[in-house]
Amino acid sequence: MRKDRLLNVARALRESKNPEDFDMGMYGHACGTPACALGHYAAREDLQHTFTLDAVNDSILVGEDWVGFDSRDVRDHFGITPSEALELFEAEGCAGAKTAIEAAEFIERVVAEREAESC
């Protein structure tokens, strides 16, 4: 698990410019605002250089290719399993978080738990 990258997802969520637009059911809003956890991360070019948020088309891109929340590109980037991708990034991911802060707290807990398990 790439805890640094997952913690950057949490950071992107905590620093959201439009936290009221948080929605785990979509990557981004047509106006360009990120919605879900992965969408917030993809929108932050200062935190990563792998993904791009195409909010107009509600998608995440690697180069010009669309990738899903549980794609190999996403899993490899974060060093997570398919079940962890579901737990974190699906529409009901982050334990059904309803706010950006709830999602950030969930991701931070997951990272801390996995870190404790590896000791």
mmCIF file of all heavy atoms in Angstrom, residues 62-92:
data_model
loop_
_atom_site.group_PDB
_atom_site.id
_atom_site.type_symbol
_atom_site.label_atom_id
_atom_site.label_comp_id
_atom_site.label_asym_id
_atom_site.label_seq_id
_atom_site.Cartn_x
_atom_site.Cartn_y
_atom_site.Cartn_z
ATOM 1 N N VAL A 62 -5.898 8.397 -17.598
ATOM 2 C CA VAL A 62 -4.460 8.200 -17.573
ATOM 3 C C VAL A 62 -4.042 8.425 -19.016
ATOM 4 O O VAL A 62 -4.401 7.636 -19.896
ATOM 5 C CB VAL A 62 -4.060 6.793 -17.087
ATOM 6 C CG1 VAL A 62 -2.563 6.577 -17.262
ATOM 7 C CG2 VAL A 62 -4.455 6.588 -15.634
ATOM 8 N N GLY A 63 -3.357 9.535 -19.248
ATOM 9 C CA GLY A 63 -3.113 9.947 -20.629
ATOM 10 C C GLY A 63 -4.453 10.301 -21.251
ATOM 11 O O GLY A 63 -5.200 11.109 -20.715
ATOM 12 N N GLU A 64 -4.786 9.631 -22.337
ATOM 13 C CA GLU A 64 -6.082 9.858 -22.978
ATOM 14 C C GLU A 64 -7.063 8.721 -22.720
ATOM 15 O O GLU A 64 -8.167 8.716 -23.260
ATOM 16 C CB GLU A 64 -5.890 10.043 -24.479
ATOM 17 C CG GLU A 64 -5.117 11.308 -24.810
ATOM 18 C CD GLU A 64 -5.008 11.555 -26.299
ATOM 19 O OE1 GLU A 64 -5.743 10.924 -27.081
ATOM 20 O OE2 GLU A 64 -4.178 12.394 -26.675
ATOM 21 N N ASP A 65 -6.660 7.763 -21.882
ATOM 22 C CA ASP A 65 -7.479 6.586 -21.630
ATOM 23 C C ASP A 65 -8.281 6.719 -20.340
ATOM 24 O O ASP A 65 -7.736 7.060 -19.288
ATOM 25 C CB ASP A 65 -6.602 5.328 -21.551
ATOM 26 C CG ASP A 65 -5.885 5.049 -22.853
ATOM 27 O OD1 ASP A 65 -6.472 5.295 -23.921
ATOM 28 O OD2 ASP A 65 -4.725 4.592 -22.788
ATOM 29 N N TRP A 66 -9.578 6.392 -20.437
ATOM 30 C CA TRP A 66 -10.451 6.366 -19.270
ATOM 31 C C TRP A 66 -10.065 5.196 -18.384
ATOM 32 O O TRP A 66 -9.773 4.104 -18.876
ATOM 33 C CB TRP A 66 -11.898 6.218 -19.736
ATOM 34 C CG TRP A 66 -12.866 6.098 -18.600
ATOM 35 C CD1 TRP A 66 -13.454 7.128 -17.949
ATOM 36 C CD2 TRP A 66 -13.335 4.900 -17.996
ATOM 37 N NE1 TRP A 66 -14.284 6.638 -16.962
ATOM 38 C CE2 TRP A 66 -14.216 5.262 -16.963
ATOM 39 C CE3 TRP A 66 -13.089 3.549 -18.195
ATOM 40 C CZ2 TRP A 66 -14.860 4.333 -16.161
ATOM 41 C CZ3 TRP A 66 -13.729 2.625 -17.386
ATOM 42 C CH2 TRP A 66 -14.598 3.037 -16.390
ATOM 43 N N VAL A 67 -10.045 5.410 -17.075
ATOM 44 C CA VAL A 67 -9.800 4.326 -16.115
ATOM 45 C C VAL A 67 -10.875 4.357 -15.044
ATOM 46 O O VAL A 67 -11.360 5.421 -14.666
ATOM 47 C CB VAL A 67 -8.403 4.401 -15.463
ATOM 48 C CG1 VAL A 67 -7.309 4.213 -16.484
ATOM 49 C CG2 VAL A 67 -8.198 5.712 -14.715
ATOM 50 N N GLY A 68 -11.258 3.192 -14.581
ATOM 51 C CA GLY A 68 -12.233 3.083 -13.505
ATOM 52 C C GLY A 68 -11.553 3.096 -12.151
ATOM 53 O O GLY A 68 -10.345 2.896 -12.037
ATOM 54 N N PHE A 69 -12.345 3.292 -11.120
ATOM 55 C CA PHE A 69 -11.808 3.363 -9.761
ATOM 56 C C PHE A 69 -11.104 2.084 -9.341
ATOM 57 O O PHE A 69 -10.249 2.096 -8.466
ATOM 58 C CB PHE A 69 -12.910 3.719 -8.758
ATOM 59 C CG PHE A 69 -13.923 2.623 -8.578
ATOM 60 C CD1 PHE A 69 -13.715 1.619 -7.657
ATOM 61 C CD2 PHE A 69 -15.084 2.593 -9.340
ATOM 62 C CE1 PHE A 69 -14.645 0.604 -7.486
ATOM 63 C CE2 PHE A 69 -16.015 1.591 -9.182
ATOM 64 C CZ PHE A 69 -15.796 0.589 -8.254
ATOM 65 N N ASP A 70 -11.470 0.953 -9.982
ATOM 66 C CA ASP A 70 -10.863 -0.327 -9.610
ATOM 67 C C ASP A 70 -9.960 -0.878 -10.716
ATOM 68 O O ASP A 70 -9.611 -2.049 -10.712
ATOM 69 C CB ASP A 70 -11.942 -1.344 -9.251
ATOM 70 C CG ASP A 70 -12.912 -1.607 -10.391
ATOM 71 O OD1 ASP A 70 -12.924 -0.837 -11.374
ATOM 72 O OD2 ASP A 70 -13.678 -2.578 -10.294
ATOM 73 N N SER A 71 -9.553 -0.007 -11.633
ATOM 74 C CA SER A 71 -8.689 -0.447 -12.738
ATOM 75 C C SER A 71 -7.284 -0.776 -12.239
ATOM 76 O O SER A 71 -6.883 -0.372 -11.144
ATOM 77 C CB SER A 71 -8.601 0.648 -13.794
ATOM 78 O OG SER A 71 -7.861 1.749 -13.284
ATOM 79 N N ARG A 72 -6.563 -1.505 -13.044
ATOM 80 C CA ARG A 72 -5.176 -1.848 -12.701
ATOM 81 C C ARG A 72 -4.349 -0.590 -12.480
ATOM 82 O O ARG A 72 -3.525 -0.544 -11.569
ATOM 83 C CB ARG A 72 -4.541 -2.723 -13.778
ATOM 84 C CG ARG A 72 -3.047 -2.855 -13.555
ATOM 85 C CD ARG A 72 -2.372 -4.159 -13.695
ATOM 86 N NE ARG A 72 -3.072 -5.380 -13.567
ATOM 87 C CZ ARG A 72 -3.018 -6.155 -12.479
ATOM 88 N NH1 ARG A 72 -2.350 -5.759 -11.414
ATOM 89 N NH2 ARG A 72 -3.627 -7.301 -12.454
ATOM 90 N N ASP A 73 -4.559 0.459 -13.301
ATOM 91 C CA ASP A 73 -3.806 1.701 -13.130
ATOM 92 C C ASP A 73 -4.014 2.291 -11.741
ATOM 93 O O ASP A 73 -3.055 2.718 -11.092
ATOM 94 C CB ASP A 73 -4.222 2.743 -14.185
ATOM 95 C CG ASP A 73 -3.732 2.398 -15.575
ATOM 96 O OD1 ASP A 73 -2.521 2.174 -15.750
ATOM 97 O OD2 ASP A 73 -4.569 2.370 -16.497
ATOM 98 N N VAL A 74 -5.239 2.326 -11.297
ATOM 99 C CA VAL A 74 -5.552 2.875 -9.971
ATOM 100 C C VAL A 74 -4.976 1.973 -8.885
ATOM 101 O O VAL A 74 -4.311 2.436 -7.949
ATOM 102 C CB VAL A 74 -7.073 3.067 -9.796
ATOM 103 C CG1 VAL A 74 -7.421 3.417 -8.358
ATOM 104 C CG2 VAL A 74 -7.582 4.149 -10.755
ATOM 105 N N ARG A 75 -5.209 0.675 -8.997
ATOM 106 C CA ARG A 75 -4.715 -0.261 -7.977
ATOM 107 C C ARG A 75 -3.194 -0.220 -7.875
ATOM 108 O O ARG A 75 -2.648 -0.182 -6.772
ATOM 109 C CB ARG A 75 -5.209 -1.673 -8.268
ATOM 110 C CG ARG A 75 -6.718 -1.815 -8.146
ATOM 111 C CD ARG A 75 -7.199 -3.255 -8.208
ATOM 112 N NE ARG A 75 -6.441 -4.138 -9.053
ATOM 113 C CZ ARG A 75 -6.779 -4.497 -10.297
ATOM 114 N NH1 ARG A 75 -7.865 -3.991 -10.860
ATOM 115 N NH2 ARG A 75 -6.036 -5.346 -10.979
ATOM 116 N N ASP A 76 -2.516 -0.219 -9.017
ATOM 117 C CA ASP A 76 -1.052 -0.183 -9.001
ATOM 118 C C ASP A 76 -0.531 1.137 -8.430
ATOM 119 O O ASP A 76 0.453 1.161 -7.689
ATOM 120 C CB ASP A 76 -0.477 -0.399 -10.400
ATOM 121 C CG ASP A 76 -0.619 -1.826 -10.889
ATOM 122 O OD1 ASP A 76 -1.000 -2.723 -10.087
ATOM 123 O OD2 ASP A 76 -0.354 -2.054 -12.083
ATOM 124 N N HIS A 77 -1.169 2.229 -8.769
ATOM 125 C CA HIS A 77 -0.742 3.544 -8.281
ATOM 126 C C HIS A 77 -0.767 3.604 -6.751
ATOM 127 O O HIS A 77 0.143 4.148 -6.134
ATOM 128 C CB HIS A 77 -1.636 4.634 -8.875
ATOM 129 C CG HIS A 77 -1.265 6.011 -8.455
ATOM 130 N ND1 HIS A 77 -0.216 6.711 -9.014
ATOM 131 C CD2 HIS A 77 -1.816 6.837 -7.529
ATOM 132 C CE1 HIS A 77 -0.127 7.896 -8.443
ATOM 133 N NE2 HIS A 77 -1.089 8.004 -7.546
ATOM 134 N N PHE A 78 -1.827 3.051 -6.171
ATOM 135 C CA PHE A 78 -1.975 3.101 -4.721
ATOM 136 C C PHE A 78 -1.451 1.848 -4.019
ATOM 137 O O PHE A 78 -1.419 1.810 -2.788
ATOM 138 C CB PHE A 78 -3.443 3.315 -4.340
ATOM 139 C CG PHE A 78 -3.953 4.675 -4.723
ATOM 140 C CD1 PHE A 78 -4.858 4.821 -5.762
ATOM 141 C CD2 PHE A 78 -3.533 5.809 -4.058
ATOM 142 C CE1 PHE A 78 -5.338 6.066 -6.124
ATOM 143 C CE2 PHE A 78 -3.994 7.068 -4.413
ATOM 144 C CZ PHE A 78 -4.903 7.193 -5.452
ATOM 145 N N GLY A 79 -1.065 0.830 -4.785
ATOM 146 C CA GLY A 79 -0.590 -0.412 -4.182
ATOM 147 C C GLY A 79 -1.683 -1.109 -3.392
ATOM 148 O O GLY A 79 -1.449 -1.588 -2.281
ATOM 149 N N ILE A 80 -2.882 -1.161 -3.981
ATOM 150 C CA ILE A 80 -4.027 -1.757 -3.281
ATOM 151 C C ILE A 80 -4.599 -2.913 -4.095
ATOM 152 O O ILE A 80 -4.356 -3.035 -5.282
ATOM 153 C CB ILE A 80 -5.128 -0.709 -2.999
ATOM 154 C CG1 ILE A 80 -5.612 -0.042 -4.300
ATOM 155 C CG2 ILE A 80 -4.627 0.338 -2.003
ATOM 156 C CD1 ILE A 80 -6.756 0.952 -4.137
ATOM 157 N N THR A 81 -5.358 -3.744 -3.417
ATOM 158 C CA THR A 81 -6.015 -4.898 -4.033
ATOM 159 C C THR A 81 -7.352 -4.461 -4.638
ATOM 160 O O THR A 81 -7.851 -3.365 -4.332
ATOM 161 C CB THR A 81 -6.286 -5.984 -2.979
ATOM 162 O OG1 THR A 81 -7.247 -5.468 -2.040
ATOM 163 C CG2 THR A 81 -5.008 -6.409 -2.253
ATOM 164 N N PRO A 82 -7.954 -5.331 -5.465
ATOM 165 C CA PRO A 82 -9.282 -4.997 -5.982
ATOM 166 C C PRO A 82 -10.308 -4.729 -4.873
ATOM 167 O O PRO A 82 -11.111 -3.792 -4.978
ATOM 168 C CB PRO A 82 -9.657 -6.227 -6.814
ATOM 169 C CG PRO A 82 -8.345 -6.759 -7.285
ATOM 170 C CD PRO A 82 -7.414 -6.543 -6.108
ATOM 171 N N SER A 83 -10.268 -5.514 -3.809
ATOM 172 C CA SER A 83 -11.241 -5.291 -2.727
ATOM 173 C C SER A 83 -10.962 -3.974 -1.991
ATOM 174 O O SER A 83 -11.893 -3.287 -1.567
ATOM 175 C CB SER A 83 -11.270 -6.466 -1.750
ATOM 176 O OG SER A 83 -10.030 -6.628 -1.119
ATOM 177 N N GLU A 84 -9.705 -3.592 -1.875
ATOM 178 C CA GLU A 84 -9.387 -2.301 -1.251
ATOM 179 C C GLU A 84 -9.826 -1.148 -2.151
ATOM 180 O O GLU A 84 -10.290 -0.110 -1.651
ATOM 181 C CB GLU A 84 -7.893 -2.209 -0.947
ATOM 182 C CG GLU A 84 -7.468 -3.102 0.194
ATOM 183 C CD GLU A 84 -5.963 -3.220 0.355
ATOM 184 O OE1 GLU A 84 -5.229 -3.153 -0.661
ATOM 185 O OE2 GLU A 84 -5.521 -3.388 1.504
ATOM 186 N N ALA A 85 -9.711 -1.320 -3.473
ATOM 187 C CA ALA A 85 -10.192 -0.293 -4.397
ATOM 188 C C ALA A 85 -11.696 -0.079 -4.215
ATOM 189 O O ALA A 85 -12.172 1.059 -4.200
ATOM 190 C CB ALA A 85 -9.868 -0.678 -5.837
ATOM 191 N N LEU A 86 -12.434 -1.171 -4.056
ATOM 192 C CA LEU A 86 -13.871 -1.065 -3.797
ATOM 193 C C LEU A 86 -14.135 -0.353 -2.476
ATOM 194 O O LEU A 86 -14.979 0.550 -2.394
ATOM 195 C CB LEU A 86 -14.522 -2.447 -3.777
ATOM 196 C CG LEU A 86 -14.622 -3.167 -5.113
ATOM 197 C CD1 LEU A 86 -15.058 -4.608 -4.894
ATOM 198 C CD2 LEU A 86 -15.575 -2.449 -6.039
ATOM 199 N N GLU A 87 -13.427 -0.771 -1.446
ATOM 200 C CA GLU A 87 -13.600 -0.199 -0.112
ATOM 201 C C GLU A 87 -13.355 1.312 -0.112
ATOM 202 O O GLU A 87 -14.055 2.063 0.561
ATOM 203 C CB GLU A 87 -12.636 -0.882 0.860
ATOM 204 C CG GLU A 87 -12.642 -0.327 2.256
ATOM 205 C CD GLU A 87 -11.597 -0.962 3.151
ATOM 206 O OE1 GLU A 87 -10.537 -1.398 2.660
ATOM 207 O OE2 GLU A 87 -11.833 -1.007 4.375
ATOM 208 N N LEU A 88 -12.385 1.746 -0.892
ATOM 209 C CA LEU A 88 -12.000 3.148 -0.887
ATOM 210 C C LEU A 88 -12.731 4.007 -1.908
ATOM 211 O O LEU A 88 -13.103 5.145 -1.604
ATOM 212 C CB LEU A 88 -10.486 3.267 -1.154
ATOM 213 C CG LEU A 88 -9.579 2.715 -0.072
ATOM 214 C CD1 LEU A 88 -8.159 2.576 -0.595
ATOM 215 C CD2 LEU A 88 -9.622 3.612 1.164
ATOM 216 N N PHE A 89 -12.925 3.494 -3.122
ATOM 217 C CA PHE A 89 -13.292 4.373 -4.218
ATOM 218 C C PHE A 89 -14.624 4.114 -4.909
ATOM 219 O O PHE A 89 -15.034 4.912 -5.757
ATOM 220 C CB PHE A 89 -12.175 4.360 -5.269
ATOM 221 C CG PHE A 89 -10.845 4.844 -4.748
ATOM 222 C CD1 PHE A 89 -9.701 4.096 -4.948
ATOM 223 C CD2 PHE A 89 -10.738 6.039 -4.063
ATOM 224 C CE1 PHE A 89 -8.472 4.533 -4.482
ATOM 225 C CE2 PHE A 89 -9.511 6.486 -3.585
ATOM 226 C CZ PHE A 89 -8.370 5.733 -3.803
ATOM 227 N N GLU A 90 -15.332 3.025 -4.594
ATOM 228 C CA GLU A 90 -16.624 2.811 -5.267
ATOM 229 C C GLU A 90 -17.650 3.829 -4.768
ATOM 230 O O GLU A 90 -17.376 4.600 -3.853
ATOM 231 C CB GLU A 90 -17.121 1.381 -5.036
ATOM 232 C CG GLU A 90 -17.652 1.151 -3.637
ATOM 233 C CD GLU A 90 -18.481 -0.107 -3.532
ATOM 234 O OE1 GLU A 90 -19.112 -0.499 -4.522
ATOM 235 O OE2 GLU A 90 -18.511 -0.681 -2.441
ATOM 236 N N ALA A 91 -18.834 3.814 -5.366
ATOM 237 C CA ALA A 91 -19.870 4.796 -5.030
ATOM 238 C C ALA A 91 -20.226 4.797 -3.543
ATOM 239 O O ALA A 91 -20.570 5.837 -2.990
ATOM 240 C CB ALA A 91 -21.118 4.558 -5.873
ATOM 241 N N GLU A 92 -20.137 3.643 -2.892
ATOM 242 C CA GLU A 92 -20.393 3.564 -1.453
ATOM 243 C C GLU A 92 -19.082 3.475 -0.665
ATOM 244 O O GLU A 92 -19.077 3.107 0.504
ATOM 245 C CB GLU A 92 -21.274 2.351 -1.137
ATOM 246 C CG GLU A 92 -22.663 2.440 -1.737
ATOM 247 C CD GLU A 92 -23.456 3.635 -1.224
ATOM 248 O OE1 GLU A 92 -23.395 3.934 -0.017
ATOM 249 O OE2 GLU A 92 -24.128 4.278 -2.050
#
